[in-house]
Amino acid sequence: MGQQDGFLKFDRELPDSRSPKKRVEDFKEIYQPFPEVKTKKQAARCMDCGIPFCHSGCPLGNIIPEFNDAVYRENWEEAAEILYSTNNFPEFTGRICPAPCEASCVLGINKPPVAIEHIEKTIAEKAYELGYIKPNPPKERTGKKVAVIGSGPAGLAAADQLNKAGHWVTVFERETRIGGLLRYGIPDFKLEKQYVERRINIMDEEGVRFKVNAEVGKNINPDMLKEDFDSIVICTGSTVPRDLPIPGRELKGIHYAMDFLTMQNKEVAGDSIENKISAEGKHVVVIGGGDTGSDCIGTSHRQHASSVLQLELMPKPPQNRGESDPWPLWPMTLRTSSSHEEGGERKWGVLTKEFKGNEKGELTHIKLVDIEWVNQGGRQNMVEIQGTERDVPCELALLAIGFTQPENHLLDSLGVNKTKTGTVEANSYRTNVENIFTAGDARRGQSLVVWAISEGREAAREVDQYLMGRTELPAKDDSFFNVAELG
């Protein structure tokens, strides 16, 4: 343990962000530099608890008190070694993870929790700065070949681990650049793509092969994959968006959130975009209150929307934990993102009833009604509140209401079974086809980047075990019950 009274002497402190008025003029990350001496104080707040609940709050099982202690002692090499032993990409999770570890921090019972996510990002960046992270190809190769379909966080984690085990790994990506959700789904103001490219370049030098514009089931023959590779790992994510089939859905100006975000990310990367979905000068309504909806808000601000309104079907969450979500469970409390700080309006307990348009078939308004949730027969049902129907100006509606399943054509072409919800059916990451495995949102459904990385690592162990009859890849320590799952 570092400073024994650190949690008593120091308050939680995080980097300042750039002024909202200034940062909406670009797509760069929003946070200002943070002095190392302050990061050391944040690490000193770690209590080195007898039972470190933060371990179990993290889907990766990161060894948090130990790397906090190393940071306090300014031993960056040790901190990096500890962190990278459980997390392939802390430079990503340190920027975009909602930090369930912090929600289960023991200090968080009665004080603001340790700034674990910030410390994680700092360790990752110091590791690069000091030269600890560099290409390290395996000394020996097994001769086995593995195809990973999808280059998002699950696919990259699986590929990285399997390459470390000495297998020849090829990652197939249908887009023009590697990164999947990291590349196309997360705005640059949260994760600049230089960090994704930096990691991919290292993996490339370590021997992982990347193929872009390669969509299995379309321009890549799945039978060829089965013949040429000893194993296949499906990491395509859950990419089928949930629709909102209400009157007026056919009007021009209604789009899925991910289409909107992807186009903007491609433009930031320098691609030429035809028929770009633009919020400029428009009244924008984001339907859905989650992270994707928040990303749409921030992107709309940067495209200079006339107004931005976010709608959520559920009631407004409380400011503090309640009886149903006590520590160390994930708190179902109100969250305000950096995008919300930049402007716009939020409404809870609102149902979208109809899209309305003009004679040209263009969206002009949406009809809304307030709702309340009522317990009826032991179930919570929504009831419309009479007299609250109204039309709201809307020229761009973005559907950010989640994703349902992977795309069927790929799964069908590989002959793998699906669950009732459409995800890939798997037992210990293995599908019904002997040498085909799966990980990430394709298996578990829509989830977090940190869960995708965890799944990719665990699937890689199963593949290695299948190919070699044994595995030396590290396993996640599940000896303590998993708070992240409970939450």
Side-chain angles (χ1 to χ4, degrees), residues 290-406:
D291 288 341
T292 301
S294 172
D295 293 343
C296 288
I297 293 171
T299 302
S300 296
H301 291 323
R302 285 157 178 78
Q303 292 184 1
H304 305 295
S306 177
S307 68
V308 182
L309 170 65
Q310 184 179 30
L311 305 177
E312 170 56 61
L313 196 64
M314 301 303 292
K316 184 176 180 179
Q319 294 284 350
N320 301 306
R321 292 178 183 270
E323 293 182 359
S324 62
D325 59 345
W327 180 90
L329 299 182
W330 178 252
M332 305 305 291
T333 52
L334 179 65
R335 290 174 176 80
T336 299
S337 72
S338 62
S339 296
H340 296 132
E341 294 170 354
E342 294 163 359
E345 186 180 7
R346 284 195 281 179
K347 295 287 186 182
W348 290 268
V350 177
L351 175 67
T352 305
K353 295 197 70 174
E354 182 181 352
F355 297 113
K356 294 186 173 184
N358 58 23
E359 64 279 358
K360 297 179 182 179
E362 299 167 332
L363 178 68
T364 60
H365 293 79
I366 58 172
K367 178 185 283 189
L368 307 177
V369 64
D370 293 336
I371 60 171
E372 59 181 344
W373 291 86
V374 179
N375 191 317
Q376 297 176 334
R379 296 181 59 184
Q380 291 290 320
N381 294 318
M382 62 179 184
V383 177
E384 295 184 13
I385 300 175
Q386 297 299 315
T388 63
E389 278 195 7
R390 71 271 192 194
D391 290 346
V392 172
C394 177
E395 296 150 306
L396 175 61
L398 299 171
L399 306 184
I401 48 181
F403 304 86
T404 60
Q405 63 193 63

Side-chain angles (χ1 to χ4, degrees), residues 19 57 97 106 157 180 204 238 295 371 411 419 426 447 454:
S19 163
C97 184
V106 173
D204 180 70
S238 178
D295 293 343
I371 60 171
L411 308 185
T419 66
S447 191
S454 175

